[in-house]
């Protein structure tokens, strides 16, 4: 892959070289590759087919996880989040010690490897919210909770310039990766002032199916606002908002 420079940027194909624009700028690469039918049938490409199958399974698992938390991800994700999550899902699948190569899956893998995954590289929870918190998953009750003791916002939150208010957000999800379905719930604080006034103790409860045997995921995040003429506006369209997986129970 090569990067285009100069005043004139090309798009299309010239002499077997494709010119195109991506988020990384104007790029160029040579066309080529092995015929698809050969990859699908030639014994020499057996490992390629196995890798492709598992990569597809990782992508599908990542999609249902993202969909379960979509309401919060709209306000807290970077443009490479999908590829980053897929890459981590591949690692989960590779920890499957039961299935044959090419048939490995997330349920027999190690879903806990996703813990602390940051959905927004531009605003990481780990370098934004310094107030201590505890997270817990009660599978029998179907409750996923986050608790924060009272804290002083300007001391315990690294907020971007222009912040006047914030809120703490959380969500829990019960996910069936085989069917591609989920049950999710969200909870948030009110929009709170970003100042030196201590908050009240915070308890965020997310209820899903009690006694579920499916994997359970808990996310925690923070959203920033700027007050203008009495109205609250998401700061920088949410680019600094943080959201991370803080607790995972892989199922029984």
């Amino acid at each position: 892959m090569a990067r285009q420079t100069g005043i004139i940027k090309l798009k299309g194909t010239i002499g077997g070289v494709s010119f195109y624009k991506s988020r990384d700028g104007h790029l160029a690469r040579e066309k080529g590759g092995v015929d698809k039918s050969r990859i699908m049938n030639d014994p020499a490409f057996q490992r390629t087919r196995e890798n492709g199958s598992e990569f597809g399974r990782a992508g599908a698992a990542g999609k249902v996880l993202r969909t379960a938390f979509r309401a919060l991800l709209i306000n807290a994700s970077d443009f490479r989040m999908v590829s980053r999550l897929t890459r981590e899902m591949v690692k989960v699948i590779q920890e499957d010690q039961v299935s044959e190569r090419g048939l490995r899956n997330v349920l027999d893998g190690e879903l806990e490897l996703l813990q602390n995954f940051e959905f927004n590289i531009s605003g990481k929870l780990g370098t934004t919210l310094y107030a201590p918190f505890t997270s817990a998953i009660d599978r029998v009750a179907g409750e996923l909770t986050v608790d924060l003791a009272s804290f002083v916002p300007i001391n315990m939150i690294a907020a971007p310039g222009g912040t006047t208010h914030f809120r703490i957000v959380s969500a829990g999800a019960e996910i069936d990766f085989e069917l591609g379905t989920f049950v999710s719930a969200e909870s948030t604080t009110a929009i709170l002032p970003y100042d030196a006034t201590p908050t009240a103790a915070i308890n965020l409860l997310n209820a899903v199916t009690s006694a579920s045997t499916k994997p359970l995921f808990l996310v925690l995040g923070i959203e920033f606002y700027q007050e203008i003429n009495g109205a609250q506006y998401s700061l920088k369209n949410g680019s600094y908002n943080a959201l991370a997986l803080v607790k995972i129970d892989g199922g029984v």
Side-chain angles (χ1 to χ4, degrees), residues 216-229:
L216 302 176
F217 298 84
L218 176 63
V219 298
L220 175 66
I222 184 169
E223 298 178 352
F224 296 106
Y225 297 88
Q226 185 175 70
E227 182 176 337
I228 300 176
N229 296 329

Side-chain angles (χ1 to χ4, degrees), residues 108-243:
D108 292 317
E110 192 67 36
L111 283 166
E112 284 77 5
L113 290 176
L114 297 174
Q115 188 156 316
N116 299 319
F117 178 81
E118 298 276 1
F119 289 97
N120 186 11
I121 289 297
S122 300
K124 296 181 180 179
L125 184 67
T127 55
T128 301
L129 179 63
Y130 292 95
F133 66 86
T134 59
S135 57
I137 295 178
D138 185 334
R139 180 173 289 279
V140 175
E143 296 180 346
L144 299 88
T145 57
V146 175
D147 291 285
L148 297 90
S150 173
F151 65 91
V152 176
I154 61 171
N155 292 341
M156 304 306 289
I157 296 175
T163 297
T164 62
H165 291 74
F166 71 97
R167 71 171 179 170
I168 306 296
V169 301
S170 178
E174 164 200 354
I175 297 181
D176 188 326
F177 286 107
E178 293 177 309
L179 296 179
T181 59
F182 60 87
V183 176
S184 63
E186 302 166 23
S187 56
T188 73
T189 65
I191 294 179
L192 305 172
Y194 180 64
D195 58 18
T197 303
T199 68
I202 295 171
N203 171 257
L204 300 175
L205 169 64
N206 307 287
V208 296
T209 307
S210 60
S212 171
T213 60
K214 305 299 181 184
L216 302 176
F217 298 84
L218 176 63
V219 298
L220 175 66
I222 184 169
E223 298 178 352
F224 296 106
Y225 297 88
Q226 185 175 70
E227 182 176 337
I228 300 176
N229 296 329
Q232 302 291 345
Y233 297 89
S234 183
L235 194 66
K236 295 290 186 181
N237 295 318
S239 60
Y240 295 114
N241 293 342
L243 188 72

